[in-house]
Amino acid sequence: MELQLKRQLGLPSVFADIFNPLPFFGRELGDNGFGLLQHRLGTSIPTVNISETPKEYCLDVAAPGMERKDFEIEINNHTLTISAEKEAKKEEKSEEYSMQEWSFNSFSRSFTLPENIKQDRVSAKYENGILKITIPKAKETAVKPSHRIAVS
């Protein structure tokens, strides 16, 4: 389709890309106004599934193409921040030409965590394009009933 658009409209590929959906963490770019801009800037926002069991919270972050070393995960003041950066360089040389390509992709997502977690037992595993973060729950404390305070 891109080639047809170039021929029909005489547009450079950057404009033809607007009409072509681009892959973006399992969805298509172009479904909102920011997708193409994020692609051009080398940033993206991966999808995250959050689930809860009686013993833990789980976050599954879809980040294909990354490696374990690309991620940084931090908990600070009950805020979990997941960030990643990936840089790639490709170089080809022959007698007729020399070609170099660079790409850079990054993201950062933050989540407010509940009070009932075991912060020192949080674990993360990256496998098959999915970063799985497990956050164990602490024993729940008894919820104190609410009471009214009289204003004097």
Side-chain angles (χ1 to χ4, degrees), residues 80-141:
L80 171 72
T81 301
I82 306 162
S83 57
E85 291 184 355
K86 175 108 177 146
E87 187 174 358
K89 181 179 177 182
K90 180 180 175 184
E91 189 172 342
E92 287 183 32
K93 290 185 179 183
S94 74
E95 291 182 17
E96 293 91 28
Y97 69 93
S98 176
M99 180 186 75
Q100 294 181 344
E101 293 181 341
W102 290 274
S103 66
F104 182 82
N105 192 16
S106 67
F107 73 85
S108 181
R109 298 243 4 220
S110 293
F111 303 89
T112 301
L113 298 174
E115 296 288 327
N116 69 328
I117 65 163
K118 295 180 181 177
Q119 185 170 325
D120 58 336
R121 298 237 175 117
V122 174
S123 65
K125 182 178 183 179
Y126 182 70
E127 190 173 61
N128 298 325
I130 304 292
L131 175 65
K132 185 176 184 93
I133 300 172
T134 304
I135 306 166
K137 291 181 180 180
K139 289 185 179 179
E140 297 208 22
T141 57

Side-chain angles (χ1 to χ4, degrees), residues 11 24 33 36 45 64-65 74 90 93-94 136-137:
L11 300 174
F24 175 66
L36 184 62
I45 302 171
E74 181 180 39
K90 180 180 175 184
K93 290 185 179 183
S94 74
K137 291 181 180 180

Side-chain angles (χ1 to χ4, degrees), residues 26-47:
R27 353 181 240 164
E28 306 260 291
L29 288 178
D31 56 345
N32 63 35
F34 299 105
L36 184 62
L37 178 62
Q38 290 171 338
H39 176 71
R40 292 287 178 215
L41 294 176
T43 62
S44 55
I45 302 171
T47 57

